[in-house]
Amino acid sequence: QVQLVESGGASVQSGRSLRLSCAVSGFAANTYCMGWFRQTPGKEREGVAGISSDGRGTWYTDSVKGRFTISRDNAKNTLNLQMDSLKSEDTAMYYCAAAPSIFRLPPRPNDFTYWGQGTQVIVST
């Protein structure tokens, strides 16, 4: 059974940090590219960061460059997103996702096969 389970979401003040994690099971995640998306009510799901299957390649949307860091541990089947210097505009539901091949940039949700249920991040001023 494929499972992607996010954790680490919380309500924090702007300027603080959070670390999101995604525990993956049920498929060969080390052969998949993975990414983090976020979504707010009434808006489309937005690609935030992506990482290649071996972890050597990463991508970030412009608004988080220099503040967010995506990483993965294939031995532990986990995907992480370190979020520093959080801003109110980072408030969203964050999802991890897995794509069976290299995805287009910016990442499109349709390119991803497996999804987690999401974890809520709220950043207050």
mmCIF file of all heavy atoms in Angstrom, residues 15-60:
data_model
loop_
_atom_site.group_PDB
_atom_site.id
_atom_site.type_symbol
_atom_site.label_atom_id
_atom_site.label_comp_id
_atom_site.label_asym_id
_atom_site.label_seq_id
_atom_site.Cartn_x
_atom_site.Cartn_y
_atom_site.Cartn_z
ATOM 1 N N GLY A 15 9.269 34.758 10.465
ATOM 2 C CA GLY A 15 10.677 34.766 10.802
ATOM 3 C C GLY A 15 11.182 33.478 11.426
ATOM 4 O O GLY A 15 12.390 33.249 11.472
ATOM 5 N N ARG A 16 10.248 32.648 11.895
ATOM 6 C CA ARG A 16 10.637 31.387 12.521
ATOM 7 C C ARG A 16 10.840 30.299 11.470
ATOM 8 O O ARG A 16 10.668 30.528 10.255
ATOM 9 C CB ARG A 16 9.572 30.953 13.526
ATOM 10 C CG ARG A 16 9.291 31.971 14.600
ATOM 11 C CD ARG A 16 10.511 32.274 15.449
ATOM 12 N NE ARG A 16 10.917 31.152 16.259
ATOM 13 C CZ ARG A 16 10.496 30.952 17.510
ATOM 14 N NH1 ARG A 16 9.646 31.784 18.064
ATOM 15 N NH2 ARG A 16 10.939 29.911 18.191
ATOM 16 N N SER A 17 11.206 29.127 11.938
ATOM 17 C CA SER A 17 11.496 28.007 11.039
ATOM 18 C C SER A 17 10.593 26.825 11.344
ATOM 19 O O SER A 17 10.120 26.660 12.466
ATOM 20 C CB SER A 17 12.959 27.560 11.199
ATOM 21 O OG SER A 17 13.854 28.588 10.859
ATOM 22 N N LEU A 18 10.389 26.008 10.324
ATOM 23 C CA LEU A 18 9.711 24.727 10.464
ATOM 24 C C LEU A 18 10.405 23.711 9.575
ATOM 25 O O LEU A 18 10.980 24.078 8.539
ATOM 26 C CB LEU A 18 8.240 24.820 10.043
ATOM 27 C CG LEU A 18 7.233 25.419 11.018
ATOM 28 C CD1 LEU A 18 5.864 25.513 10.339
ATOM 29 C CD2 LEU A 18 7.138 24.603 12.289
ATOM 30 N N ARG A 19 10.308 22.465 9.974
ATOM 31 C CA ARG A 19 10.845 21.386 9.153
ATOM 32 C C ARG A 19 9.728 20.388 8.887
ATOM 33 O O ARG A 19 9.192 19.779 9.812
ATOM 34 C CB ARG A 19 12.014 20.693 9.841
ATOM 35 C CG ARG A 19 12.680 19.607 9.000
ATOM 36 C CD ARG A 19 13.882 19.039 9.736
ATOM 37 N NE ARG A 19 14.566 17.972 9.034
ATOM 38 C CZ ARG A 19 15.497 18.183 8.099
ATOM 39 N NH1 ARG A 19 15.857 19.424 7.774
ATOM 40 N NH2 ARG A 19 16.085 17.151 7.510
ATOM 41 N N LEU A 20 9.363 20.273 7.628
ATOM 42 C CA LEU A 20 8.359 19.296 7.222
ATOM 43 C C LEU A 20 9.044 17.996 6.841
ATOM 44 O O LEU A 20 10.129 18.008 6.253
ATOM 45 C CB LEU A 20 7.539 19.812 6.053
ATOM 46 C CG LEU A 20 6.845 21.162 6.226
ATOM 47 C CD1 LEU A 20 6.005 21.462 4.991
ATOM 48 C CD2 LEU A 20 6.012 21.201 7.474
ATOM 49 N N SER A 21 8.393 16.905 7.145
ATOM 50 C CA SER A 21 8.892 15.598 6.746
ATOM 51 C C SER A 21 7.795 14.809 6.065
ATOM 52 O O SER A 21 6.614 15.042 6.312
ATOM 53 C CB SER A 21 9.402 14.812 7.962
ATOM 54 O OG SER A 21 10.538 15.421 8.529
ATOM 55 N N CYS A 22 8.212 13.909 5.212
ATOM 56 C CA CYS A 22 7.273 13.040 4.509
ATOM 57 C C CYS A 22 7.822 11.622 4.564
ATOM 58 O O CYS A 22 8.904 11.357 4.024
ATOM 59 C CB CYS A 22 7.103 13.507 3.068
ATOM 60 S SG CYS A 22 6.058 12.458 2.048
ATOM 61 N N ALA A 23 7.111 10.748 5.230
ATOM 62 C CA ALA A 23 7.505 9.346 5.322
ATOM 63 C C ALA A 23 6.840 8.572 4.202
ATOM 64 O O ALA A 23 5.615 8.644 4.036
ATOM 65 C CB ALA A 23 7.102 8.772 6.672
ATOM 66 N N VAL A 24 7.643 7.857 3.448
ATOM 67 C CA VAL A 24 7.168 7.199 2.234
ATOM 68 C C VAL A 24 7.268 5.683 2.382
ATOM 69 O O VAL A 24 8.251 5.163 2.912
ATOM 70 C CB VAL A 24 8.010 7.654 1.027
ATOM 71 C CG1 VAL A 24 7.556 6.949 -0.227
ATOM 72 C CG2 VAL A 24 7.929 9.159 0.853
ATOM 73 N N SER A 25 6.260 4.991 1.902
ATOM 74 C CA SER A 25 6.302 3.532 1.932
ATOM 75 C C SER A 25 5.415 2.967 0.833
ATOM 76 O O SER A 25 4.565 3.671 0.282
ATOM 77 C CB SER A 25 5.831 3.012 3.295
ATOM 78 O OG SER A 25 4.505 3.398 3.547
ATOM 79 N N GLY A 26 5.650 1.709 0.483
ATOM 80 C CA GLY A 26 4.787 1.018 -0.466
ATOM 81 C C GLY A 26 5.217 1.081 -1.915
ATOM 82 O O GLY A 26 4.557 0.502 -2.784
ATOM 83 N N PHE A 27 6.317 1.762 -2.212
ATOM 84 C CA PHE A 27 6.849 1.808 -3.567
ATOM 85 C C PHE A 27 8.323 2.176 -3.478
ATOM 86 O O PHE A 27 8.822 2.572 -2.430
ATOM 87 C CB PHE A 27 6.088 2.800 -4.450
ATOM 88 C CG PHE A 27 6.248 4.242 -4.071
ATOM 89 C CD1 PHE A 27 7.082 5.077 -4.803
ATOM 90 C CD2 PHE A 27 5.556 4.779 -2.990
ATOM 91 C CE1 PHE A 27 7.225 6.416 -4.461
ATOM 92 C CE2 PHE A 27 5.699 6.107 -2.632
ATOM 93 C CZ PHE A 27 6.538 6.930 -3.374
ATOM 94 N N ALA A 28 9.006 1.996 -4.599
ATOM 95 C CA ALA A 28 10.450 2.232 -4.640
ATOM 96 C C ALA A 28 10.726 3.725 -4.764
ATOM 97 O O ALA A 28 11.062 4.234 -5.837
ATOM 98 C CB ALA A 28 11.062 1.468 -5.813
ATOM 99 N N ALA A 29 10.594 4.405 -3.645
ATOM 100 C CA ALA A 29 10.703 5.865 -3.657
ATOM 101 C C ALA A 29 12.064 6.335 -4.142
ATOM 102 O O ALA A 29 12.171 7.438 -4.688
ATOM 103 C CB ALA A 29 10.425 6.408 -2.262
ATOM 104 N N ASN A 30 13.098 5.505 -3.969
ATOM 105 C CA ASN A 30 14.431 5.953 -4.385
ATOM 106 C C ASN A 30 14.577 6.034 -5.896
ATOM 107 O O ASN A 30 15.598 6.514 -6.396
ATOM 108 C CB ASN A 30 15.505 5.034 -3.793
ATOM 109 C CG ASN A 30 15.358 3.596 -4.238
ATOM 110 O OD1 ASN A 30 14.311 3.199 -4.764
ATOM 111 N ND2 ASN A 30 16.391 2.810 -4.029
ATOM 112 N N THR A 31 13.571 5.586 -6.629
ATOM 113 C CA THR A 31 13.602 5.715 -8.087
ATOM 114 C C THR A 31 12.693 6.836 -8.569
ATOM 115 O O THR A 31 12.561 7.051 -9.778
ATOM 116 C CB THR A 31 13.194 4.401 -8.766
ATOM 117 O OG1 THR A 31 11.816 4.116 -8.471
ATOM 118 C CG2 THR A 31 14.070 3.236 -8.294
ATOM 119 N N TYR A 32 12.058 7.529 -7.657
ATOM 120 C CA TYR A 32 11.123 8.598 -7.991
ATOM 121 C C TYR A 32 11.708 9.971 -7.683
ATOM 122 O O TYR A 32 12.366 10.150 -6.651
ATOM 123 C CB TYR A 32 9.834 8.439 -7.185
ATOM 124 C CG TYR A 32 8.871 7.420 -7.721
ATOM 125 C CD1 TYR A 32 9.210 6.075 -7.773
ATOM 126 C CD2 TYR A 32 7.612 7.796 -8.176
ATOM 127 C CE1 TYR A 32 8.321 5.133 -8.272
ATOM 128 C CE2 TYR A 32 6.715 6.864 -8.663
ATOM 129 C CZ TYR A 32 7.091 5.536 -8.710
ATOM 130 O OH TYR A 32 6.202 4.613 -9.201
ATOM 131 N N CYS A 33 11.432 10.919 -8.540
ATOM 132 C CA CYS A 33 11.628 12.317 -8.189
ATOM 133 C C CYS A 33 10.519 12.691 -7.204
ATOM 134 O O CYS A 33 9.420 12.126 -7.249
ATOM 135 C CB CYS A 33 11.544 13.209 -9.422
ATOM 136 S SG CYS A 33 12.826 12.901 -10.638
ATOM 137 N N MET A 34 10.816 13.634 -6.340
ATOM 138 C CA MET A 34 9.813 14.015 -5.357
ATOM 139 C C MET A 34 9.731 15.523 -5.231
ATOM 140 O O MET A 34 10.651 16.241 -5.629
ATOM 141 C CB MET A 34 10.136 13.381 -4.006
ATOM 142 C CG MET A 34 10.118 11.869 -4.049
ATOM 143 S SD MET A 34 9.990 11.097 -2.448
ATOM 144 C CE MET A 34 8.285 11.488 -2.026
ATOM 145 N N GLY A 35 8.618 15.972 -4.692
ATOM 146 C CA GLY A 35 8.439 17.406 -4.579
ATOM 147 C C GLY A 35 7.513 17.783 -3.444
ATOM 148 O O GLY A 35 6.808 16.942 -2.885
ATOM 149 N N TRP A 36 7.544 19.058 -3.131
ATOM 150 C CA TRP A 36 6.613 19.659 -2.177
ATOM 151 C C TRP A 36 5.754 20.671 -2.927
ATOM 152 O O TRP A 36 6.273 21.489 -3.693
ATOM 153 C CB TRP A 36 7.366 20.361 -1.053
ATOM 154 C CG TRP A 36 7.998 19.446 -0.078
ATOM 155 C CD1 TRP A 36 9.303 19.020 -0.062
ATOM 156 C CD2 TRP A 36 7.362 18.826 1.053
ATOM 157 N NE1 TRP A 36 9.518 18.177 1.000
ATOM 158 C CE2 TRP A 36 8.343 18.047 1.704
ATOM 159 C CE3 TRP A 36 6.083 18.861 1.585
ATOM 160 C CZ2 TRP A 36 8.063 17.304 2.851
ATOM 161 C CZ3 TRP A 36 5.802 18.120 2.719
ATOM 162 C CH2 TRP A 36 6.779 17.357 3.350
ATOM 163 N N PHE A 37 4.477 20.584 -2.697
ATOM 164 C CA PHE A 37 3.521 21.533 -3.229
ATOM 165 C C PHE A 37 2.808 22.199 -2.060
ATOM 166 O O PHE A 37 2.807 21.692 -0.938
ATOM 167 C CB PHE A 37 2.472 20.815 -4.098
ATOM 168 C CG PHE A 37 2.990 20.325 -5.414
ATOM 169 C CD1 PHE A 37 3.774 19.185 -5.490
ATOM 170 C CD2 PHE A 37 2.692 21.000 -6.588
ATOM 171 C CE1 PHE A 37 4.252 18.721 -6.712
ATOM 172 C CE2 PHE A 37 3.151 20.551 -7.810
ATOM 173 C CZ PHE A 37 3.932 19.408 -7.869
ATOM 174 N N ARG A 38 2.178 23.317 -2.345
ATOM 175 C CA ARG A 38 1.345 23.963 -1.336
ATOM 176 C C ARG A 38 0.097 24.524 -1.997
ATOM 177 O O ARG A 38 0.080 24.813 -3.199
ATOM 178 C CB ARG A 38 2.103 25.052 -0.589
ATOM 179 C CG ARG A 38 2.534 26.234 -1.427
ATOM 180 C CD ARG A 38 3.423 27.163 -0.585
ATOM 181 N NE ARG A 38 3.893 28.312 -1.357
ATOM 182 C CZ ARG A 38 4.787 29.183 -0.914
ATOM 183 N NH1 ARG A 38 5.322 29.034 0.311
ATOM 184 N NH2 ARG A 38 5.152 30.196 -1.661
ATOM 185 N N GLN A 39 -0.925 24.660 -1.176
ATOM 186 C CA GLN A 39 -2.200 25.138 -1.699
ATOM 187 C C GLN A 39 -2.946 25.909 -0.623
ATOM 188 O O GLN A 39 -2.976 25.497 0.545
ATOM 189 C CB GLN A 39 -3.045 23.964 -2.185
ATOM 190 C CG GLN A 39 -4.282 24.353 -2.944
ATOM 191 C CD GLN A 39 -4.967 23.156 -3.584
ATOM 192 O OE1 GLN A 39 -4.815 22.017 -3.143
ATOM 193 N NE2 GLN A 39 -5.708 23.403 -4.659
ATOM 194 N N THR A 40 -3.550 27.007 -1.048
ATOM 195 C CA THR A 40 -4.425 27.783 -0.186
ATOM 196 C C THR A 40 -5.825 27.756 -0.789
ATOM 197 O O THR A 40 -5.982 27.526 -1.997
ATOM 198 C CB THR A 40 -3.934 29.222 -0.045
ATOM 199 O OG1 THR A 40 -3.770 29.797 -1.352
ATOM 200 C CG2 THR A 40 -2.592 29.275 0.674
ATOM 201 N N PRO A 41 -6.839 27.988 0.013
ATOM 202 C CA PRO A 41 -8.219 27.904 -0.484
ATOM 203 C C PRO A 41 -8.437 28.806 -1.693
ATOM 204 O O PRO A 41 -8.049 29.976 -1.693
ATOM 205 C CB PRO A 41 -9.046 28.363 0.710
ATOM 206 C CG PRO A 41 -8.216 28.002 1.891
ATOM 207 C CD PRO A 41 -6.802 28.241 1.465
ATOM 208 N N GLY A 42 -9.034 28.241 -2.718
ATOM 209 C CA GLY A 42 -9.371 29.002 -3.901
ATOM 210 C C GLY A 42 -8.249 29.166 -4.899
ATOM 211 O O GLY A 42 -8.426 29.787 -5.951
ATOM 212 N N LYS A 43 -7.086 28.616 -4.580
ATOM 213 C CA LYS A 43 -5.940 28.734 -5.489
ATOM 214 C C LYS A 43 -5.479 27.369 -5.956
ATOM 215 O O LYS A 43 -5.738 26.350 -5.312
ATOM 216 C CB LYS A 43 -4.793 29.476 -4.799
ATOM 217 C CG LYS A 43 -5.087 30.940 -4.516
ATOM 218 C CD LYS A 43 -3.833 31.663 -4.058
ATOM 219 C CE LYS A 43 -4.102 33.134 -3.868
ATOM 220 N NZ LYS A 43 -2.882 33.880 -3.452
ATOM 221 N N GLU A 44 -4.769 27.352 -7.073
ATOM 222 C CA GLU A 44 -4.239 26.107 -7.587
ATOM 223 C C GLU A 44 -3.053 25.639 -6.729
ATOM 224 O O GLU A 44 -2.379 26.437 -6.096
ATOM 225 C CB GLU A 44 -3.785 26.297 -9.037
ATOM 226 C CG GLU A 44 -4.929 26.551 -10.006
ATOM 227 C CD GLU A 44 -4.458 26.592 -11.446
ATOM 228 O OE1 GLU A 44 -3.233 26.507 -11.678
ATOM 229 O OE2 GLU A 44 -5.304 26.686 -12.351
ATOM 230 N N ARG A 45 -2.847 24.325 -6.768
ATOM 231 C CA ARG A 45 -1.711 23.771 -6.057
ATOM 232 C C ARG A 45 -0.414 24.236 -6.734
ATOM 233 O O ARG A 45 -0.272 24.132 -7.945
ATOM 234 C CB ARG A 45 -1.813 22.237 -6.055
ATOM 235 C CG ARG A 45 -0.934 21.557 -5.057
ATOM 236 C CD ARG A 45 -1.373 20.124 -4.842
ATOM 237 N NE ARG A 45 -2.669 20.038 -4.152
ATOM 238 C CZ ARG A 45 -3.175 18.911 -3.675
ATOM 239 N NH1 ARG A 45 -2.499 17.764 -3.819
ATOM 240 N NH2 ARG A 45 -4.345 18.908 -3.086
ATOM 241 N N GLU A 46 0.505 24.733 -5.934
ATOM 242 C CA GLU A 46 1.735 25.349 -6.436
ATOM 243 C C GLU A 46 2.949 24.498 -6.076
ATOM 244 O O GLU A 46 3.095 24.083 -4.913
ATOM 245 C CB GLU A 46 1.887 26.745 -5.819
ATOM 246 C CG GLU A 46 3.221 27.414 -6.077
ATOM 247 C CD GLU A 46 3.478 28.611 -5.165
ATOM 248 O OE1 GLU A 46 2.928 28.647 -4.056
ATOM 249 O OE2 GLU A 46 4.257 29.487 -5.579
ATOM 250 N N GLY A 47 3.819 24.272 -7.039
ATOM 251 C CA GLY A 47 5.068 23.580 -6.751
ATOM 252 C C GLY A 47 5.999 24.479 -5.969
ATOM 253 O O GLY A 47 6.237 25.624 -6.368
ATOM 254 N N VAL A 48 6.514 23.989 -4.875
ATOM 255 C CA VAL A 48 7.399 24.757 -4.012
ATOM 256 C C VAL A 48 8.856 24.347 -4.203
ATOM 257 O O VAL A 48 9.738 25.192 -4.334
ATOM 258 C CB VAL A 48 7.004 24.571 -2.531
ATOM 259 C CG1 VAL A 48 7.988 25.291 -1.616
ATOM 260 C CG2 VAL A 48 5.594 25.066 -2.296
ATOM 261 N N ALA A 49 9.116 23.053 -4.197
ATOM 262 C CA ALA A 49 10.480 22.541 -4.316
ATOM 263 C C ALA A 49 10.424 21.131 -4.878
ATOM 264 O O ALA A 49 9.454 20.404 -4.658
ATOM 265 C CB ALA A 49 11.188 22.549 -2.969
ATOM 266 N N GLY A 50 11.470 20.768 -5.594
ATOM 267 C CA GLY A 50 11.565 19.426 -6.146
ATOM 268 C C GLY A 50 12.967 18.889 -6.010
ATOM 269 O O GLY A 50 13.931 19.645 -5.870
ATOM 270 N N ILE A 51 13.082 17.565 -6.055
ATOM 271 C CA ILE A 51 14.385 16.930 -5.900
ATOM 272 C C ILE A 51 14.436 15.673 -6.753
ATOM 273 O O ILE A 51 13.439 14.944 -6.871
ATOM 274 C CB ILE A 51 14.664 16.631 -4.408
ATOM 275 C CG1 ILE A 51 16.111 16.201 -4.191
ATOM 276 C CG2 ILE A 51 13.684 15.613 -3.854
ATOM 277 C CD1 ILE A 51 16.524 16.214 -2.716
ATOM 278 N N SER A 52 15.581 15.431 -7.348
ATOM 279 C CA SER A 52 15.747 14.259 -8.192
ATOM 280 C C SER A 52 15.816 12.989 -7.345
ATOM 281 O O SER A 52 15.941 13.050 -6.125
ATOM 282 C CB SER A 52 17.018 14.399 -9.028
ATOM 283 O OG SER A 52 18.146 14.521 -8.175
ATOM 284 N N SER A 53 15.737 11.854 -8.004
ATOM 285 C CA SER A 53 15.704 10.588 -7.280
ATOM 286 C C SER A 53 16.972 10.353 -6.454
ATOM 287 O O SER A 53 16.908 9.766 -5.371
ATOM 288 C CB SER A 53 15.495 9.420 -8.247
ATOM 289 O OG SER A 53 16.525 9.395 -9.218
ATOM 290 N N ASP A 54 18.108 10.840 -6.950
ATOM 291 C CA ASP A 54 19.360 10.641 -6.213
ATOM 292 C C ASP A 54 19.703 11.806 -5.299
ATOM 293 O O ASP A 54 20.732 11.789 -4.628
ATOM 294 C CB ASP A 54 20.522 10.372 -7.177
ATOM 295 C CG ASP A 54 20.785 11.526 -8.128
ATOM 296 O OD1 ASP A 54 20.130 12.573 -7.995
ATOM 297 O OD2 ASP A 54 21.651 11.370 -9.007
ATOM 298 N N GLY A 55 18.851 12.818 -5.301
ATOM 299 C CA GLY A 55 19.053 13.957 -4.418
ATOM 300 C C GLY A 55 20.030 15.004 -4.925
ATOM 301 O O GLY A 55 20.234 16.023 -4.274
ATOM 302 N N ARG A 56 20.607 14.770 -6.087
ATOM 303 C CA ARG A 56 21.629 15.696 -6.579
ATOM 304 C C ARG A 56 21.034 16.941 -7.221
ATOM 305 O O ARG A 56 21.674 17.990 -7.247
ATOM 306 C CB ARG A 56 22.527 14.975 -7.593
ATOM 307 C CG ARG A 56 23.369 13.875 -6.987
ATOM 308 C CD ARG A 56 24.247 13.225 -8.032
ATOM 309 N NE ARG A 56 25.074 12.150 -7.468
ATOM 310 C CZ ARG A 56 25.930 11.437 -8.180
ATOM 311 N NH1 ARG A 56 26.087 11.670 -9.472
ATOM 312 N NH2 ARG A 56 26.628 10.478 -7.590
ATOM 313 N N GLY A 57 19.839 16.819 -7.760
ATOM 314 C CA GLY A 57 19.217 17.959 -8.410
ATOM 315 C C GLY A 57 18.057 18.502 -7.607
ATOM 316 O O GLY A 57 17.230 17.723 -7.103
ATOM 317 N N THR A 58 18.018 19.803 -7.434
ATOM 318 C CA THR A 58 16.915 20.431 -6.713
ATOM 319 C C THR A 58 16.386 21.625 -7.486
ATOM 320 O O THR A 58 17.090 22.199 -8.342
ATOM 321 C CB THR A 58 17.352 20.897 -5.310
ATOM 322 O OG1 THR A 58 18.443 21.813 -5.438
ATOM 323 C CG2 THR A 58 17.761 19.719 -4.441
ATOM 324 N N TRP A 59 15.172 21.982 -7.171
ATOM 325 C CA TRP A 59 14.526 23.140 -7.798
ATOM 326 C C TRP A 59 13.665 23.820 -6.748
ATOM 327 O O TRP A 59 13.071 23.151 -5.883
ATOM 328 C CB TRP A 59 13.659 22.675 -8.974
ATOM 329 C CG TRP A 59 12.812 23.780 -9.523
ATOM 330 C CD1 TRP A 59 13.132 24.652 -10.505
ATOM 331 C CD2 TRP A 59 11.487 24.136 -9.085
ATOM 332 N NE1 TRP A 59 12.097 25.533 -10.715
ATOM 333 C CE2 TRP A 59 11.080 25.236 -9.855
ATOM 334 C CE3 TRP A 59 10.628 23.633 -8.120
ATOM 335 C CZ2 TRP A 59 9.833 25.835 -9.691
ATOM 336 C CZ3 TRP A 59 9.393 24.230 -7.943
ATOM 337 C CH2 TRP A 59 9.007 25.318 -8.725
ATOM 338 N N TYR A 60 13.573 25.151 -6.837
ATOM 339 C CA TYR A 60 12.740 25.913 -5.922
ATOM 340 C C TYR A 60 11.979 26.985 -6.687
ATOM 341 O O TYR A 60 12.515 27.599 -7.624
ATOM 342 C CB TYR A 60 13.583 26.607 -4.848
ATOM 343 C CG TYR A 60 14.392 25.656 -4.006
ATOM 344 C CD1 TYR A 60 15.696 25.329 -4.357
ATOM 345 C CD2 TYR A 60 13.846 25.077 -2.861
ATOM 346 C CE1 TYR A 60 16.438 24.444 -3.592
ATOM 347 C CE2 TYR A 60 14.583 24.191 -2.093
ATOM 348 C CZ TYR A 60 15.878 23.882 -2.473
ATOM 349 O OH TYR A 60 16.606 22.997 -1.710
#
